[in-house]
Amino acid sequence: MPELVFFSGTMDCGKSTLALQIEHNRSARGLVGMIFTRNDRAGEGKLSSRLGLVTDAVEATDGMDLYAHLVDHLSHGGRADYVIADEAQFLAPEQIDQLARVVDDLGIDVYAFGITTDFRSKLFPGSQRLVELADRVEVLQVEALCWCGARATHNARTVGGVMVVEGAQVVVGDVNQSADEVGYEVLCRRHHRRRMTAATAHAAALSPDVLPVSPA
Ligand SMILES: Nc1ncnc2c1ncn2[C@@H]1O[C@H](COP(=O)(O)OP(=O)(O)O)[C@@H](O)[C@H]1O
Ligand SMILES: Cc1cn([C@H]2C[C@H](O)[C@@H](COP(=O)(O)O)O2)c(=O)[nH]c1=O
């Protein structure tokens, strides 16, 4: 049975790498995929991983009907044995419905990859719809870690290393950004709730308030 599978996890846990591996393994066996992406850091129409691999993809723009795109492709003699959708959190809920229709009406497997929640721990609309519709939700096996060593479950947005909680839901960016840039850091829930990033934890550890005081 064809499936809609949602591979989810925090930022930097290997989702795009897995998407590229699935693409590689299938194309090595002569299968042909249709790859969608949206707002990849490498630029429009790219699916990239931090391991340095990148492939061309179809940019899923606002209002684009992904089901109609597939039907048009197939009816013009194109082939699609499976579909990959990376950065699926950025897709509109209607586009997730269209991907479900690809599975049900065209009998094609769809593998979607994305982060579930934003920097405020709120579901992205596209991810919410995937959780609602997917046949399976798979959490990636490679755990991203919080600075404290616990499993990272949340995405923090940072400015100069300090966690922020105001701003637009969508701001394309990366982890390990330099000091003044807007960036992201993955944290465990405890430290996300306390807004404690690696930089602020380090600063607190250096503060005289928390240093052990030797008796005079
Ligand atoms: N220099 C490196 N050496 C080995 N693994 C790396 C290196 N850089 C990144 N990675 C791996 O790549 C993962 C990020 O992969 P990526 O597919 O870009 O993540 P995602 O799409 O989930 O944001 C990291 O969690 C890590 O496992
Ligand atoms: C938490 C969060 C993330 N984003 C952006 C930042 C990146 O461009 C992508 C995630 O990409 P990755 O391959 O999973 O690292 O999402 C955002 O726009 N808003 C957020 O709240």
Side-chain angles (χ1 to χ4, degrees):
M1 282 285 278
E3 284 186 310
L4 172 61
V5 187
F6 180 30
F7 294 94
S8 82
T10 60
M11 288 181 67
D12 199 24
C13 71
K15 301 180 299 300
S16 300
T17 304
L18 180 61
L20 287 160
Q21 287 174 315
I22 288 177
E23 159 63 14
H24 175 82
N25 290 353
R26 278 165 179 63
S27 60
R29 292 292 180 224
L31 299 173
V32 179
M34 167 74 69
I35 307 178
F36 292 112
T37 188
R38 184 173 164 98
N39 295 338
D40 190 286
R41 283 179 300 275
E44 198 173 308
K46 297 286 173 199
L47 189 171
S48 70
S49 121
R50 290 180 183 80
L51 285 179
L53 295 168
V54 60
T55 192
D56 289 333
V58 175
E59 186 78 12
T61 50
D62 277 344
M64 179 176 173
D65 183 331
L66 305 184
Y67 177 81
H69 184 88
L70 250 295
V71 170
D72 187 58
H73 175 74
L74 297 172
S75 58
H76 284 86
R79 195 173 148 191
D81 301 306
Y82 59 94
V83 170
I84 287 174
D86 198 25
E87 306 291 354
Q89 72 275 5
F90 294 144
L91 297 178
E94 308 78 68
Q95 290 174 317
I96 305 299
D97 282 73
Q98 292 154 12
L99 291 178
R101 192 169 171 207
V102 167
V103 177
D104 297 341
D105 294 2
L106 303 180
I108 297 175
D109 282 314
V110 175
Y111 308 109
F113 300 81
I115 53 177
T116 321
T117 54
D118 68 8
F119 68 112
R120 293 195 194 101
S121 318
K122 300 289 180 201
L123 287 166
F124 281 93
S127 307
Q128 178 181 339
R129 197 67 187 132
L130 272 164
V131 170
E132 290 163 353
L133 290 186
D135 294 292
R136 280 189 290 135
V137 177
E138 298 277 344
V139 177
L140 263 75
Q141 293 298 310
V142 180
E143 299 177 351
L145 299 180
C146 179
W147 58 265
C148 69
R151 180 184 180 143
T153 48
H154 289 66
N155 304 296
R157 183 178 291 161
T158 58
V159 177
V162 176
M163 181 170 153
V164 295
V165 291
E166 298 295 329
Q169 184 176 51
V170 177
V171 176
V172 175
D174 206 350
V175 293
N176 301 322
Q177 295 297 92
S178 65
D180 353 317
E181 285 174 295
V182 175
Y184 290 93
E185 182 174 334
V186 293
L187 298 174
C188 64
R189 186 188 60 235
R190 178 187 302 255
H191 289 126
H192 195 276
R193 284 182 52 245
R194 294 178 183 169
R195 300 186 193 175
M196 199 178 270
T197 61
T200 52
H202 182 68
L206 291 179
S207 157
D209 295 340
V210 295
L211 283 177
V213 180
S214 330

PDB file of all heavy atoms in Angstrom, residues 10-18 41 48-51 86-87 140 142-144, ligand 1:
ATOM      1  N   THR A  10      13.811  17.721  15.145  1.00  0.00           N
ATOM      2  CA  THR A  10      14.252  19.103  15.305  1.00  0.00           C
ATOM      3  C   THR A  10      15.073  19.502  14.089  1.00  0.00           C
ATOM      4  O   THR A  10      15.369  18.672  13.221  1.00  0.00           O
ATOM      5  CB  THR A  10      15.172  19.247  16.529  1.00  0.00           C
ATOM      6  OG1 THR A  10      16.303  18.393  16.317  1.00  0.00           O
ATOM      7  CG2 THR A  10      14.459  18.904  17.820  1.00  0.00           C
ATOM      8  N   MET A  11      15.486  20.742  14.046  1.00  0.00           N
ATOM      9  CA  MET A  11      16.471  21.169  13.067  1.00  0.00           C
ATOM     10  C   MET A  11      17.750  20.356  13.303  1.00  0.00           C
ATOM     11  O   MET A  11      18.023  19.903  14.418  1.00  0.00           O
ATOM     12  CB  MET A  11      16.793  22.665  13.235  1.00  0.00           C
ATOM     13  CG  MET A  11      15.683  23.594  12.792  1.00  0.00           C
ATOM     14  SD  MET A  11      16.144  25.341  12.993  1.00  0.00           S
ATOM     15  CE  MET A  11      17.453  25.540  11.775  1.00  0.00           C
ATOM     16  N   ASP A  12      18.503  20.151  12.246  1.00  0.00           N
ATOM     17  CA  ASP A  12      19.851  19.591  12.344  1.00  0.00           C
ATOM     18  C   ASP A  12      19.875  18.144  12.848  1.00  0.00           C
ATOM     19  O   ASP A  12      20.855  17.729  13.455  1.00  0.00           O
ATOM     20  CB  ASP A  12      20.702  20.491  13.263  1.00  0.00           C
ATOM     21  CG  ASP A  12      22.197  20.274  13.061  1.00  0.00           C
ATOM     22  OD1 ASP A  12      22.587  19.826  11.974  1.00  0.00           O
ATOM     23  OD2 ASP A  12      22.961  20.543  14.011  1.00  0.00           O
ATOM     24  N   CYS A  13      18.785  17.402  12.634  1.00  0.00           N
ATOM     25  CA  CYS A  13      18.811  16.001  13.105  1.00  0.00           C
ATOM     26  C   CYS A  13      18.991  15.021  11.948  1.00  0.00           C
ATOM     27  O   CYS A  13      18.959  13.809  12.157  1.00  0.00           O
ATOM     28  CB  CYS A  13      17.551  15.673  13.911  1.00  0.00           C
ATOM     29  SG  CYS A  13      16.073  15.563  12.894  1.00  0.00           S
ATOM     30  N   GLY A  14      19.171  15.539  10.723  1.00  0.00           N
ATOM     31  CA  GLY A  14      19.470  14.645   9.600  1.00  0.00           C
ATOM     32  C   GLY A  14      18.303  14.370   8.666  1.00  0.00           C
ATOM     33  O   GLY A  14      18.361  13.425   7.869  1.00  0.00           O
ATOM     34  N   LYS A  15      17.274  15.192   8.700  1.00  0.00           N
ATOM     35  CA  LYS A  15      16.100  14.947   7.842  1.00  0.00           C
ATOM     36  C   LYS A  15      16.452  15.033   6.353  1.00  0.00           C
ATOM     37  O   LYS A  15      16.092  14.144   5.578  1.00  0.00           O
ATOM     38  CB  LYS A  15      14.986  15.965   8.162  1.00  0.00           C
ATOM     39  CG  LYS A  15      14.520  15.941   9.612  1.00  0.00           C
ATOM     40  CD  LYS A  15      13.435  16.962   9.866  1.00  0.00           C
ATOM     41  CE  LYS A  15      13.851  18.406   9.608  1.00  0.00           C
ATOM     42  NZ  LYS A  15      14.983  18.886  10.437  1.00  0.00           N
ATOM     43  N   SER A  16      17.137  16.107   5.976  1.00  0.00           N
ATOM     44  CA  SER A  16      17.454  16.270   4.550  1.00  0.00           C
ATOM     45  C   SER A  16      18.437  15.200   4.096  1.00  0.00           C
ATOM     46  O   SER A  16      18.374  14.732   2.953  1.00  0.00           O
ATOM     47  CB  SER A  16      18.037  17.664   4.294  1.00  0.00           C
ATOM     48  OG  SER A  16      17.100  18.640   4.667  1.00  0.00           O
ATOM     49  N   THR A  17      19.330  14.802   4.996  1.00  0.00           N
ATOM     50  CA  THR A  17      20.278  13.727   4.663  1.00  0.00           C
ATOM     51  C   THR A  17      19.506  12.448   4.366  1.00  0.00           C
ATOM     52  O   THR A  17      19.776  11.766   3.367  1.00  0.00           O
ATOM     53  CB  THR A  17      21.254  13.511   5.843  1.00  0.00           C
ATOM     54  OG1 THR A  17      21.887  14.758   6.132  1.00  0.00           O
ATOM     55  CG2 THR A  17      22.297  12.459   5.526  1.00  0.00           C
ATOM     56  N   LEU A  18      18.525  12.125   5.201  1.00  0.00           N
ATOM     57  CA  LEU A  18      17.708  10.933   4.974  1.00  0.00           C
ATOM     58  C   LEU A  18      16.919  11.056   3.672  1.00  0.00           C
ATOM     59  O   LEU A  18      16.809  10.081   2.909  1.00  0.00           O
ATOM     60  CB  LEU A  18      16.763  10.709   6.162  1.00  0.00           C
ATOM     61  CG  LEU A  18      15.850   9.497   6.060  1.00  0.00           C
ATOM     62  CD1 LEU A  18      16.653   8.196   5.959  1.00  0.00           C
ATOM     63  CD2 LEU A  18      14.913   9.420   7.270  1.00  0.00           C
ATOM     64  N   ARG A  41      17.888  26.405   2.585  1.00  0.00           N
ATOM     65  CA  ARG A  41      18.968  27.391   2.788  1.00  0.00           C
ATOM     66  C   ARG A  41      19.878  27.518   1.572  1.00  0.00           C
ATOM     67  O   ARG A  41      20.489  28.553   1.355  1.00  0.00           O
ATOM     68  CB  ARG A  41      19.817  27.014   4.008  1.00  0.00           C
ATOM     69  CG  ARG A  41      19.203  27.322   5.338  1.00  0.00           C
ATOM     70  CD  ARG A  41      20.133  26.885   6.468  1.00  0.00           C
ATOM     71  NE  ARG A  41      20.383  25.462   6.386  1.00  0.00           N
ATOM     72  CZ  ARG A  41      19.584  24.541   6.906  1.00  0.00           C
ATOM     73  NH1 ARG A  41      18.537  24.899   7.584  1.00  0.00           N
ATOM     74  NH2 ARG A  41      19.847  23.270   6.766  1.00  0.00           N
ATOM     75  N   SER A  48      19.131  20.456   0.209  1.00  0.00           N
ATOM     76  CA  SER A  48      20.527  20.326   0.648  1.00  0.00           C
ATOM     77  C   SER A  48      20.618  19.804   2.071  1.00  0.00           C
ATOM     78  O   SER A  48      19.719  20.030   2.885  1.00  0.00           O
ATOM     79  CB  SER A  48      21.221  21.690   0.576  1.00  0.00           C
ATOM     80  OG  SER A  48      20.723  22.554   1.578  1.00  0.00           O
ATOM     81  N   SER A  49      21.720  19.106   2.327  1.00  0.00           N
ATOM     82  CA  SER A  49      21.996  18.621   3.683  1.00  0.00           C
ATOM     83  C   SER A  49      23.288  19.251   4.180  1.00  0.00           C
ATOM     84  O   SER A  49      24.139  19.650   3.385  1.00  0.00           O
ATOM     85  CB  SER A  49      22.106  17.093   3.666  1.00  0.00           C
ATOM     86  OG  SER A  49      23.365  16.671   4.120  1.00  0.00           O
ATOM     87  N   ARG A  50      23.424  19.323   5.492  1.00  0.00           N
ATOM     88  CA  ARG A  50      24.644  19.901   6.067  1.00  0.00           C
ATOM     89  C   ARG A  50      25.861  19.022   5.818  1.00  0.00           C
ATOM     90  O   ARG A  50      26.984  19.450   6.063  1.00  0.00           O
ATOM     91  CB  ARG A  50      24.468  20.132   7.570  1.00  0.00           C
ATOM     92  CG  ARG A  50      23.513  21.255   7.881  1.00  0.00           C
ATOM     93  CD  ARG A  50      23.353  21.470   9.368  1.00  0.00           C
ATOM     94  NE  ARG A  50      22.382  22.508   9.633  1.00  0.00           N
ATOM     95  CZ  ARG A  50      21.061  22.332   9.615  1.00  0.00           C
ATOM     96  NH1 ARG A  50      20.561  21.135   9.335  1.00  0.00           N
ATOM     97  NH2 ARG A  50      20.252  23.327   9.874  1.00  0.00           N
ATOM     98  N   LEU A  51      25.651  17.782   5.360  1.00  0.00           N
ATOM     99  CA  LEU A  51      26.792  16.923   5.018  1.00  0.00           C
ATOM    100  C   LEU A  51      27.375  17.297   3.661  1.00  0.00           C
ATOM    101  O   LEU A  51      28.329  16.693   3.211  1.00  0.00           O
ATOM    102  CB  LEU A  51      26.370  15.454   5.034  1.00  0.00           C
ATOM    103  CG  LEU A  51      26.196  14.870   6.435  1.00  0.00           C
ATOM    104  CD1 LEU A  51      25.746  13.414   6.359  1.00  0.00           C
ATOM    105  CD2 LEU A  51      27.487  14.954   7.227  1.00  0.00           C
ATOM    106  N   ASP A  86      10.706  18.019   1.052  1.00  0.00           N
ATOM    107  CA  ASP A  86      11.546  18.470   2.172  1.00  0.00           C
ATOM    108  C   ASP A  86      11.068  19.851   2.628  1.00  0.00           C
ATOM    109  O   ASP A  86      10.379  20.555   1.892  1.00  0.00           O
ATOM    110  CB  ASP A  86      13.016  18.525   1.751  1.00  0.00           C
ATOM    111  CG  ASP A  86      13.954  18.550   2.961  1.00  0.00           C
ATOM    112  OD1 ASP A  86      13.563  18.069   4.042  1.00  0.00           O
ATOM    113  OD2 ASP A  86      15.092  19.058   2.823  1.00  0.00           O
ATOM    114  N   GLU A  87      11.441  20.213   3.853  1.00  0.00           N
ATOM    115  CA  GLU A  87      10.996  21.478   4.468  1.00  0.00           C
ATOM    116  C   GLU A  87       9.463  21.542   4.409  1.00  0.00           C
ATOM    117  O   GLU A  87       8.867  22.601   4.138  1.00  0.00           O
ATOM    118  CB  GLU A  87      11.635  22.697   3.784  1.00  0.00           C
ATOM    119  CG  GLU A  87      13.162  22.684   3.695  1.00  0.00           C
ATOM    120  CD  GLU A  87      13.884  22.841   5.041  1.00  0.00           C
ATOM    121  OE1 GLU A  87      13.209  23.071   6.067  1.00  0.00           O
ATOM    122  OE2 GLU A  87      15.122  22.708   5.048  1.00  0.00           O
ATOM    123  N   LEU A 140      13.201  10.846  13.702  1.00  0.00           N
ATOM    124  CA  LEU A 140      14.528  10.410  13.252  1.00  0.00           C
ATOM    125  C   LEU A 140      15.349   9.784  14.380  1.00  0.00           C
ATOM    126  O   LEU A 140      15.260  10.203  15.533  1.00  0.00           O
ATOM    127  CB  LEU A 140      15.280  11.577  12.617  1.00  0.00           C
ATOM    128  CG  LEU A 140      15.136  11.535  11.089  1.00  0.00           C
ATOM    129  CD1 LEU A 140      13.759  11.982  10.660  1.00  0.00           C
ATOM    130  CD2 LEU A 140      16.194  12.367  10.433  1.00  0.00           C
ATOM    131  N   VAL A 142      18.735   9.593  14.653  1.00  0.00           N
ATOM    132  CA  VAL A 142      19.921  10.331  15.115  1.00  0.00           C
ATOM    133  C   VAL A 142      19.418  11.514  15.928  1.00  0.00           C
ATOM    134  O   VAL A 142      18.739  12.387  15.408  1.00  0.00           O
ATOM    135  CB  VAL A 142      20.765  10.840  13.927  1.00  0.00           C
ATOM    136  CG1 VAL A 142      21.984  11.610  14.419  1.00  0.00           C
ATOM    137  CG2 VAL A 142      21.188   9.682  13.045  1.00  0.00           C
ATOM    138  N   GLU A 143      19.743  11.511  17.209  1.00  0.00           N
ATOM    139  CA  GLU A 143      19.239  12.573  18.086  1.00  0.00           C
ATOM    140  C   GLU A 143      20.130  13.804  17.993  1.00  0.00           C
ATOM    141  O   GLU A 143      21.345  13.688  18.082  1.00  0.00           O
ATOM    142  CB  GLU A 143      19.263  12.104  19.542  1.00  0.00           C
ATOM    143  CG  GLU A 143      18.400  10.906  19.792  1.00  0.00           C
ATOM    144  CD  GLU A 143      18.513  10.432  21.227  1.00  0.00           C
ATOM    145  OE1 GLU A 143      19.386  10.941  21.961  1.00  0.00           O
ATOM    146  OE2 GLU A 143      17.727   9.560  21.600  1.00  0.00           O
ATOM    147  N   ALA A 144      19.500  14.950  17.840  1.00  0.00           N
ATOM    148  CA  ALA A 144      20.258  16.184  18.041  1.00  0.00           C
ATOM    149  C   ALA A 144      20.284  16.402  19.556  1.00  0.00           C
ATOM    150  O   ALA A 144      19.360  16.012  20.267  1.00  0.00           O
ATOM    151  CB  ALA A 144      19.554  17.330  17.341  1.00  0.00           C
TER     152      ALA A 144
HETATM  153  N1  LIG B   1      30.970  17.600   9.802  1.00  0.00           N
HETATM  154  C1  LIG B   1      30.056  16.639  10.044  1.00  0.00           C
HETATM  155  N2  LIG B   1      30.432  15.381  10.251  1.00  0.00           N
HETATM  156  C2  LIG B   1      29.520  14.404  10.469  1.00  0.00           C
HETATM  157  N3  LIG B   1      28.204  14.612  10.516  1.00  0.00           N
HETATM  158  C3  LIG B   1      27.783  15.850  10.307  1.00  0.00           C
HETATM  159  C4  LIG B   1      28.666  16.944  10.065  1.00  0.00           C
HETATM  160  N4  LIG B   1      27.926  18.061   9.909  1.00  0.00           N
HETATM  161  C5  LIG B   1      26.643  17.689  10.062  1.00  0.00           C
HETATM  162  N5  LIG B   1      26.566  16.361  10.304  1.00  0.00           N
HETATM  163  C6  LIG B   1      25.345  15.554  10.523  1.00  0.00           C
HETATM  164  O1  LIG B   1      24.324  16.074   9.726  1.00  0.00           O
HETATM  165  C7  LIG B   1      23.164  16.295  10.528  1.00  0.00           C
HETATM  166  C8  LIG B   1      22.375  17.415   9.914  1.00  0.00           C
HETATM  167  O2  LIG B   1      21.886  16.937   8.696  1.00  0.00           O
HETATM  168  P1  LIG B   1      20.768  17.692   7.859  1.00  0.00           P
HETATM  169  O3  LIG B   1      20.237  16.656   6.925  1.00  0.00           O
HETATM  170  O4  LIG B   1      21.325  18.928   7.265  1.00  0.00           O
HETATM  171  O5  LIG B   1      19.711  18.038   9.012  1.00  0.00           O
HETATM  172  P2  LIG B   1      18.214  18.574   8.957  1.00  0.00           P
HETATM  173  O6  LIG B   1      17.721  18.463   7.551  1.00  0.00           O
HETATM  174  O7  LIG B   1      17.459  17.693   9.916  1.00  0.00           O
HETATM  175  O8  LIG B   1      18.266  19.979   9.464  1.00  0.00           O
HETATM  176  C9  LIG B   1      23.717  16.560  11.925  1.00  0.00           C
HETATM  177  O9  LIG B   1      22.812  16.243  12.941  1.00  0.00           O
HETATM  178  C10 LIG B   1      24.894  15.592  11.957  1.00  0.00           C
HETATM  179  O10 LIG B   1      24.437  14.310  12.319  1.00  0.00           O
END
